[in-house]
Amino acid sequence: RHQDKETIACLDEFVGRESTIVQSAALQRLFQIDFRLVEKHADKLVTSEDVNVRRWGARSMIAKQDVGRIELLSGLLDDVNPGLRREVAGSFVELAEIPTLRQSILENSNKILDQDSWRGCEQACVVLAKLDHKASGKRMVELLGHPRPEVKIASAWGLTQLRIAELLPDMLEHAQSVYEGFRSGQLTDRVPGASLQMAHLFIAMGDQKYRPAVGLMKAYVPRDFSLGAESRAAAAWGLGLIYEDDPDEEVVAMLSKRISDIEGFQPELPDVRTMSAVSLGRMNAESTLEFLRKYESGLRAASWAIERMTGKPMPPLGRNTHLISGWILQPLRADK
């Protein structure tokens, strides 16, 4: 717990040792005393092979809140360690609340986004989307075709946040090409990122009520497990937003069929049934009220849909009882 001059000098000497274990321990204590004692070494620390050393360098620069350190910090968005790069991305979102830092954070994050390194692109998408930097939207559309699933998903999610109407045609064009890949067998739900990316695109297009996407969304509603659980549930959800308070008979029939598909060896997926019920309620499809009442007991979303259409409050949730066994001491069974 010492923090006198002699202690600081000793710890500072340890920072120069070859052992990164010694370095990181010394940096941790110096940071606790005064982050500036670590920050003066930051240029060297961020090049260390040890993530624990790089982390203290990053934290010291974050604590300094200096515009001159943003460029060096932005390089850590592409760090090989996922925990560190996410920590820096989160700090950028927070530091951008400081007016003197925001522009530099946007500029340097855009530089990382323009590169092809998947780690940096993924984190830059998150930062720029959370900061609602709409100028990055065009690049995110380009990154939809990136080979890494992390970037495919992050760019699609970023577009759900930016909500740029001018980019919707390009997003739909990409989504259509993905669907054709599924139909040809080139893509399957086992390909990382394919289904989840499509789900984000459907969410974005549904949220902005983009009617040209209806045809593709309809193609995802029928039971076809090969298209992916997330994308099919998102398609059902998106249709409800596009036809909000304006039910389409064909869509109502398609969604109703998904809800009733509970028999057989492979019943419909719970998420698809849930989102189908939500969309019927959002469309205000009053013709399905009696139909939905038949499924209330096993589908909570059906109760929500009924409440939205009639104003009748949903029944309260019942109590769930879970049996936990395996205790050291527990009652004997009655038959023993």
Side-chain angles (χ1 to χ4, degrees), residues 1 8 14 27 31 40 45 71 114 118 127 137 184 186 191 199 218-219 277 280 316 318 320-321:
R1 298 175 182 172
I8 291 173
F14 285 157
L27 290 166
F31 187 88
K40 67 181 182 179
L45 298 178
E71 183 176 2
D114 287 338
W118 71 267
V127 172
S184 67
Q186 181 181 2
V191 175
K218 285 180 179 179
L280 289 179
N320 289 328
T321 302

Side-chain angles (χ1 to χ4, degrees), residues 70-227:
I70 298 302
E71 183 176 2
L72 185 59
L73 264 174
S74 68
L76 294 175
L77 292 173
D78 192 39
D79 193 87
V80 68
N81 183 273
L84 178 54
R85 61 180 183 261
R86 289 169 188 162
E87 183 174 347
V88 172
S91 73
F92 268 14
V93 175
E94 295 177 0
L95 290 174
E97 296 298 317
I98 303 173
T100 56
L101 301 183
R102 184 178 180 87
Q103 188 58 35
S104 181
I105 288 172
L106 292 175
E107 290 176 359
N108 283 284
S109 296
N110 264 312
K111 289 179 182 178
I112 299 297
L113 190 71
D114 287 338
Q115 299 172 10
D116 288 327
S117 177
W118 71 267
R119 299 180 183 92
C121 287
E122 178 190 26
Q123 297 307 315
C125 281
V126 173
V127 172
L128 294 168
K130 290 199 172 197
L131 296 180
D132 196 29
H133 186 58
K134 298 192 184 299
S136 64
K138 186 175 180 180
R139 174 59 175 161
M140 289 189 194
V141 171
E142 294 175 357
L143 290 173
L144 292 173
H146 197 280
R148 289 290 301 206
E150 296 89 345
V151 181
K152 290 179 182 290
I153 295 168
S155 57
W157 173 83
L159 291 166
T160 70
Q161 306 302 297
L162 295 178
R163 304 184 82 251
I164 304 172
E166 293 78 9
L167 298 178
L168 288 170
D170 292 333
M171 293 161 63
L172 178 58
E173 182 179 353
H174 176 81
Q176 187 68 48
S177 69
V178 173
Y179 174 68
E180 291 169 0
F182 274 98
R183 289 275 71 97
S184 67
Q186 181 181 2
L187 295 175
T188 70
D189 193 30
R190 294 184 296 276
V191 175
S195 177
L196 195 52
Q197 182 194 61
M198 187 67 89
H200 284 308
L201 292 175
F202 282 151
I203 289 170
M205 292 184 281
D207 179 47
Q208 297 180 69
K209 302 184 185 303
Y210 187 55
R211 294 235 169 186
V214 167
L216 184 57
M217 289 182 181
K218 285 180 179 179
Y220 272 76
V221 174
R223 185 171 64 174
D224 184 346
F225 298 138
S226 68
L227 293 175

